[in-house]
Amino acid sequence: MKKIFRNTVLLAVTFMLAACDFTDLQPINNVGTAAAFSSVSSLEKVVVSSYARLNYLTYLHQSEWGADNVKIGGQSGGNGATTMAFGWTSTSGDYSSIWSGSYTAIAELNRLFTNCENIEVGPDETARYNQAVGEAHFLRAWHYYELLRFFSDFEKDSAAGVPIVTTEIVLEQPERNTVGECYTFIIDELNTALSLLSQDKAKLGYASKAAVYGLLARLYYYRNDFSNAKSFAEKAIAGSQLGGDGVTPMDNWAEIWTDEYAENDIFTIIKKSGETTLGTMFFTADNACITEASLKASTMMADVNDVRGTVTIIDAPDRDKNTVKRVVKFEGLNWKTSMTNCGLCNWKMIRTEEMRMIAIEATAQTDVAAAAKMLNDFQAQRYVEFTPKTYATKDDLIKAIIDERDREFMYEGIRWWDGRHYKLDMLCGSDLVTVRAADSYKWIMPIPDAELQSNFNIEQNPGY
């Protein structure tokens, strides 16, 4: 077993907590250790700052531009071209950003764990202290899971994973832990979070037990452990404000994306005016088209009975007055009246519909008829006119599940991972004629060149 580095550090990182104002707690920025960990209140502010390190936009750049639902827009300026052409290398910036950004966040969280033990906790502060530390364990697990997904063959326990480091600065050169060792660590982190968190129900802007269950469901799902995946998915739904089967009613689906409806949120990062926007990865306030929907995506969402269709893609002019297939899923509420804060909306990291689809597929492994009914009930809330379907075989049902997942989660970063999960050959690229074979080494990202040059013990992924 490779060592988990607990007394050394992987990255020499300056402790600069990014500003974040999505809660009533103000984050602590650029302060010394004594001030940052002087009280339970200061600890809570440090944790609030840690949420800003979850860079959903960077994840989407890679997982959406690399899949088959977008193509390069007329005013892209080259954005996404390398990813769509599968041209990434060990020096590509976005993948390096995922690696360095995640380990920076992990180093900050490691510093928190080192110092939080020195805080004097009053008798009426124990629950708050445990909640804050539990959230930190959840966040560290999240970062390690994203690293594992991007940079390893995460379905093989014996494959090379990522280095596990639990202290602030590393001067040694750690090897990559195995995927199995990484999963053990991540699951232990999430179990620790569960033992500490007092927030049971999903709460906007915060980690909760429901969020932990949601991440565990996703983790086990992509490991093909359907029993655990279904169990945790159902617990996550039960912990949401929506509850029930976890399917947002048809009349509310559009309101998810204007942040007027949030009952289906399991883990969400609140974004306010002036903060990073999602919608502008597709088009900007002056109608510049960065990326537009692919022919495959626009054809799929053209069903007039599907309430998701024009909430996801519309025909609209770009800056050059050409009609394009504009992706509007993340336009946000502000665009209804003005272009201020274009593309601003909350980041829905885990929602109940993902959990329900996991439960449906898990059920399909042993009971096709029951899973078919679950899928029909789901689709009845998405199509104005819907006739329940029957499926002759499990394979037929799985194909329908793949299709429905693509429609429901389009542009949310899930399609890429489903491509790996289902071993799909994809027509991708700016012209959607480039074929990424299911067995291509490009499904796994390269270890960044900067890491290879500074750590001689780390091995590159095959093919690079």
Side-chain angles (χ1 to χ4, degrees), residues 23-39:
T23 73
D24 55 351
L25 291 170
Q26 292 301 308
I28 290 179
N29 302 298
N30 304 327
V31 297
T33 299
F37 303 101
S38 60
S39 66

Side-chain angles (χ1 to χ4, degrees), residues 8-15 96 98-108 110 144 147 163 165 167-174 450-451 454-455:
T8 55
V9 185
L10 175 68
L11 300 170
V13 180
T14 301
F15 185 61
S96 297
I98 292 173
W99 182 275
S100 61
S102 294
Y103 274 114
T104 297
I106 289 166
E108 292 174 355
N110 290 344
Y144 270 119
L147 283 167
V165 182
T167 51
E168 184 184 352
I169 299 178
V170 173
L171 302 177
E172 296 187 30
Q173 297 184 346
E451 182 68 25
S454 62
N455 181 357

Side-chain angles (χ1 to χ4, degrees), residues 179-401:
V179 167
E181 289 168 347
C182 290
Y183 275 127
T184 296
F185 178 82
I186 293 167
I187 293 168
D188 285 346
E189 282 287 276
L190 293 173
N191 285 331
T192 298
L194 284 174
S195 71
L196 293 169
L197 291 169
S198 54
Q199 180 66 41
D200 292 322
K201 288 282 188 178
K203 183 178 180 181
L204 285 176
Y206 291 91
S208 63
K209 288 185 179 179
V212 175
Y213 293 141
L215 185 53
L216 282 167
R218 182 183 288 173
L219 180 154
Y220 282 114
Y221 171 72
Y222 285 115
R223 293 197 80 191
N224 296 307
D225 183 342
F226 290 105
S227 178
N228 273 317
K230 182 179 181 180
S231 175
F232 285 116
E234 290 173 343
K235 289 181 179 180
I237 292 172
S240 70
Q241 300 301 319
L242 178 59
D245 65 1
V247 183
T248 298
M250 179 187 301
D251 293 342
N252 298 115
W253 199 84
E255 295 173 341
I256 295 173
W257 311 107
T258 56
D259 300 329
E260 297 169 290
Y261 182 90
E263 292 185 16
N264 67 331
D265 290 336
I266 290 176
F267 181 49
T268 294
I269 301 298
I270 297 175
K271 307 303 290 184
K272 291 187 176 182
S273 179
E275 295 185 339
T276 305
T277 61
L278 291 184
T280 49
M281 71 176 281
F282 301 103
F283 72 101
T284 61
D286 64 351
N287 289 328
C289 182
I290 310 303
T291 54
E292 64 174 299
S294 67
L295 176 62
K296 171 253 179 184
S298 58
T299 301
M300 174 175 280
M301 301 307 289
D303 186 342
V304 295
N305 283 313
D306 191 336
V307 298
R308 298 165 296 196
T310 55
V311 178
T312 305
I313 301 168
I314 63 171
D315 290 328
D318 67 6
R319 193 171 60 196
D320 296 332
K321 309 302 183 184
N322 297 313
T323 299
V324 299
K325 298 294 183 181
R326 178 181 289 181
V327 177
V328 294
K329 191 171 190 176
F330 305 117
E331 66 177 2
L333 183 60
N334 286 312
W335 284 1
K336 289 182 179 294
T337 56
S338 73
M339 294 300 285
T340 302
N341 290 313
C342 73
L344 180 67
C345 60
N346 293 339
W347 295 1
K348 293 138 182 60
M349 313 291 273
I350 305 176
R351 58 187 177 96
T352 54
E353 284 81 5
E354 180 189 353
M355 300 295 102
R356 186 58 173 175
M357 291 302 296
I358 287 174
I360 292 171
E361 187 169 345
T363 301
Q365 306 307 308
T366 57
D367 192 335
V368 170
K373 183 181 185 306
M374 293 167 69
L375 181 60
N376 282 329
D377 290 343
F378 188 107
Q379 292 174 316
Q381 291 298 329
R382 296 293 179 264
Y383 297 90
V384 176
E385 296 181 5
F386 177 72
T387 302
K389 302 178 180 65
T390 58
Y391 301 92
T393 66
K394 173 183 168 181
D395 287 345
D396 290 338
L397 176 57
I398 295 299
K399 289 178 182 177
I401 291 172

Side-chain angles (χ1 to χ4, degrees), residues 405-450:
R405 285 177 63 89
D406 196 3
R407 295 170 188 270
E408 179 72 17
F409 308 122
M410 191 172 286
Y411 307 122
E412 296 178 54
I414 287 180
R415 178 65 174 172
W416 169 271
W417 306 114
D418 282 1
R420 290 182 64 175
H421 176 63
Y422 297 117
K423 307 297 188 293
L424 301 178
D425 293 327
M426 282 190 180
L427 292 177
C428 309
S430 61
D431 52 6
L432 283 183
V433 297
T434 305
V435 178
R436 172 176 294 146
D439 60 354
S440 171
Y441 72 90
K442 292 277 188 172
W443 288 102
I444 303 172
M445 300 300 106
I447 303 299
D449 187 59

